[in-house]
């Protein structure tokens, strides 16, 4: 059996941390959820994740700050940002800075799967 790609979810919203990993497992991925950027950085998942679904606005270190920290540490993991607090001007900026996608909550399962497939270079 082939190893399933590990998708890390970093979001301070408990309902997202509970529902997204279940959805990702239904899609056939392995999933791990974290309540903060700091918790993700302290985990072994940093070097193991194949894709990061990352909330942009969190207490403490924001999603964009985590993105910069990962670059600083030479960790190249594809990032799909999710946010409830964005406007359309935000999306081109985060894509320009290396994110694979930026989805605005609420987003569809189809949009999420498409973003993950793009991140993992799947068809």
């Amino acid at each position: 059996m082939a190893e399933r790609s590990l998708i890390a979810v970093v979001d301070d919203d408990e309902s997202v941390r509970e529902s997204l990993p279940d959805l990702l497992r239904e899609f056939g991925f392995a999933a791990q959820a974290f309540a903060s950027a700091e918790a993700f950085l302290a985990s072994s998942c940093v070097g193991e994740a194949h894709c990061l679904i990352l909330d942009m606005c969190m207490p403490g270190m924001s999603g964009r700050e985590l993105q910069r920290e990962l670059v600083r540490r030479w960790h190249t993991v594809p990032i799909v940002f999710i946010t409830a607090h964005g406007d359309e001007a935000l999306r081109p900026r985060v894509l320009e800075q290396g994110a694979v996608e930026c989805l605005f909550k609420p987003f569809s399962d189809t949009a999420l799967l498409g973003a993950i497939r793009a991140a993992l270079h799947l068809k």
Side-chain angles (χ1 to χ4, degrees):
M1 174 186 260
E3 182 181 335
R4 297 183 305 159
S5 296
L6 175 61
I7 312 297
V9 176
V10 182
D11 198 311
D12 61 312
D13 183 332
E14 184 177 359
S15 65
V16 172
R17 288 193 316 274
E18 289 178 356
S19 62
L20 266 188
D22 289 342
L23 178 62
L24 293 169
R25 289 181 192 105
E26 285 181 29
F27 288 155
F29 301 108
Q32 180 87 31
F34 300 90
S36 69
E38 294 86 353
F40 174 73
L41 285 172
S43 76
S44 64
C45 204
V46 172
E48 297 173 4
H50 296 98
C51 180
L52 184 58
I53 299 174
L54 180 55
D55 187 18
M56 215 169 267
C57 300
M58 297 181 287
M61 182 182 281
S62 73
R64 292 179 79 184
E65 290 168 335
L66 175 57
Q67 180 186 33
R68 287 190 288 275
E69 179 62 18
L70 290 171
V71 168
R72 190 187 72 74
R73 294 182 183 196
W74 297 93
H75 288 291
T76 55
V77 59
I79 294 174
V80 175
F81 277 113
I82 57 176
T83 184
H85 306 288
D87 59 38
E88 284 302 322
L90 176 69
R91 189 173 183 277
R93 287 197 309 267
V94 298
L95 295 178
E96 184 178 285
Q97 294 172 351
V100 173
E101 185 58 270
C102 181
L103 301 174
F104 295 98
K105 296 175 185 177
F107 47 83
S108 70
D109 296 356
T110 305
L112 178 62
L113 182 57
I116 293 169
R117 286 181 180 213
L120 300 176
H121 305 289
L122 301 174
K123 292 184 178 188

